Amino acid sequence: MVNANGKEVLIRVNNLVKYFPVRAGLLQRVVGWVQAVDEVNFQVYKGETLGLVGESGCGKTTVGRSMLRLIEPTRGSMLFEGTDMMELSGRELKDMRRNMQIIFQDPYGSLDPRLPVGESIAEGLKIHNIGTPKERFELVLEMLKKVGMEDYHARRYPHEFSGGQRQRIGIARALALRPKFIVADEPVSALDVSIQAQVLNLLKDLQEEFGLTYMFIAHNLSVVEHISDRVAVMYLGKIVEITSSEELFRKPLHPYTQALMSAIPIPDPELKRYRIILTGDVPSPLNPPSGCRFHPRCPVVMERCPWEEPQIREISPEHFVSCWKVE
């Protein structure tokens, strides 16, 4: 698929919704719904890194896992090279998943502590019946070298590695099936700053070598600026702004994005940035506000904001915003 700007679209997400039921009482009846993701639309271009940012609990991880069907969406579609992932099942879904992998936030929690890491990396190869045991082992060693590890590491267990090494192992496991698309779910948030830089540079090198497409989920805007080609900003289950990384950091348009940008520290004690302090707490996704979800905290709220929900629109080429004030 090619969009109107001539860019090849690898993934198109349409009206993605994920509600989680809230149960109570002796019979565990459904008494409400947590609206984790609500009518999300975006595209991922082939070979790019799309950053997905927002506060904790805004639905970033739920979007990534719903796309891969690690959790089942309530409704919506996710077209991967024209094929709707939501309509696949059984063998078709299993085969399609070879093209999509995930790097988890907690590298230790995502590895089986009872298995040597070489076996964990080879697990996907076994599931998809790729190669002989010897060929799989050789591929495991190749992937370990790609991420800066040694052959003998394949026989060690997860508890014998540092956090940075475990995340490299997680990257090697994601690469083993040679996917086209990888969801990186806050892959550096649990690492020291110096290790973060190493892992980010490794991801960029691997992207260039293997022609990978990333969706990079994070809440650290400095990290997102470093690695992303485009950035989507989420607030309370909705995407409120999406544009190129350069444009977003140069000219954020949505009031929520502007508040996030104002919180980025400047590495110079002589310089001071005007801070936008948001009042109140993030509303509960169990009972989100009517109209624009950001209006209870918005510093430029208008009369129509509490009653009418703005749709995300293209304000300038490739710059989409959901805000009445901007329009």
Side-chain angles (χ1 to χ4, degrees):
M1 296 182 290
V2 178
N3 71 354
N5 297 305
K7 295 183 178 180
E8 187 175 353
V9 178
L10 181 71
I11 292 171
R12 191 188 303 272
V13 174
N14 298 317
N15 303 318
L16 184 66
V17 174
K18 179 58 183 177
Y19 292 174
F20 292 98
V22 177
R23 301 179 186 275
L26 186 64
L27 300 178
Q28 290 293 289
R29 290 194 176 98
V30 175
V31 296
W33 296 89
V34 175
Q35 301 178 28
V37 177
D38 195 10
E39 299 290 342
V40 163
N41 297 274
F42 61 91
Q43 298 174 351
V44 184
Y45 302 142
K46 187 174 182 180
E48 77 163 350
T49 299
L50 174 66
L52 189 60
V53 302
E55 293 172 282
S56 296
C58 71
K60 305 185 299 294
T61 295
T62 304
V63 168
R65 297 193 178 199
S66 296
M67 289 171 66
L68 304 183
R69 286 186 61 184
L70 295 178
I71 55 177
E72 287 295 328
T74 303
R75 62 177 181 272
S77 65
M78 201 282 277
L79 302 177
F80 182 87
E81 295 184 327
T83 302
D84 191 351
M85 279 285 293
M86 306 309 170
E87 295 181 355
L88 301 181
S89 60
R91 182 64 189 230
E92 290 179 325
L93 179 59
K94 178 182 175 182
D95 291 342
M96 181 62 76
R97 277 182 166 152
R98 283 189 60 180
N99 296 311
M100 293 172 283
Q101 294 293 304
I102 185 169
I103 302 168
F104 293 97
Q105 179 179 0
D106 179 8
Y108 189 66
S110 65
L111 295 170
D112 190 334
R114 300 165 298 177
L115 290 180
V117 297
E119 290 188 32
S120 291
I121 296 170
E123 204 165 9
L125 301 172
K126 291 179 184 177
I127 291 170
H128 290 277
N129 296 316
I130 297 174
T132 64
K134 182 180 179 182
E135 290 170 339
R136 289 196 288 265
F137 185 69
E138 289 174 354
L139 185 56
V140 166
L141 298 183
E142 180 187 349
M143 290 300 104
L144 283 172
K145 288 180 180 178
K146 293 289 184 185
V147 299
M149 308 285 282
E150 300 295 337
D151 291 358
Y152 63 85
H153 287 141
R155 297 180 178 85
R156 291 188 176 179
Y157 289 83
H159 70 271
E160 299 181 73
F161 297 95
S162 67
Q165 287 176 318
R166 284 197 285 262
Q167 195 57 284
R168 288 173 183 267
I169 292 163
I171 294 170
R173 182 176 57 183
L175 282 176
L177 289 170
R178 300 294 174 94
K180 298 178 182 178
F181 174 63
I182 292 179
V183 174
D185 185 9
E186 303 201 31
V188 297
S189 63
L191 307 178
D192 293 338
V193 174
S194 59
I195 306 301
Q196 285 185 13
Q198 294 175 17
V199 172
L200 290 173
N201 290 331
L202 172 63
L203 288 171
K204 293 183 79 170
D205 291 342
L206 293 170
Q207 182 177 35
E208 186 174 339
E209 181 176 352
F210 292 100
L212 296 168
T213 302
Y214 292 141
M215 188 168 83
F216 192 91
I217 298 170
H219 57 258
N220 186 327
L221 288 167
S222 300
V223 169
V224 170
E225 182 182 20
H226 176 71
I227 198 170
S228 300
D229 300 300
R230 289 189 307 136
V231 181
V233 182
M234 282 194 75
Y235 181 79
L236 205 62
K238 297 271 190 181
I239 288 182
V240 298
E241 186 165 3
I242 181 168
T243 185
S244 67
S245 178
E246 181 182 353
E247 176 76 3
L248 190 80
F249 283 85
R250 183 180 66 84
K251 189 183 177 182
L253 295 180
H254 196 281
Y256 176 63
T257 311
Q258 292 170 353
L260 289 180
M261 295 298 174
S262 75
I264 300 175
I266 300 175
D268 187 339
E270 301 297 323
L271 296 176
K272 292 187 177 180
R273 172 179 279 152
Y274 173 70
R275 286 290 309 275
I276 300 174
I277 307 298
L278 299 178
T279 58
D281 296 324
V282 180
S284 169
L286 188 62
N287 185 26
S290 60
C292 174
R293 294 193 173 187
F294 186 58
H295 85 260
R297 307 175 70 200
C298 183
V300 292
V301 64
M302 298 167 61
E303 185 178 347
R304 69 193 299 189
C305 296
W307 317 113
E308 296 182 60
E309 182 180 348
Q311 300 302 309
I312 193 160
R313 291 183 173 88
E314 190 169 18
I315 304 300
S316 60
E318 289 287 298
H319 196 157
F320 298 84
V321 185
S322 170
C323 179
W324 292 124
K325 184 73 173 179
V326 173
E327 291 186 25

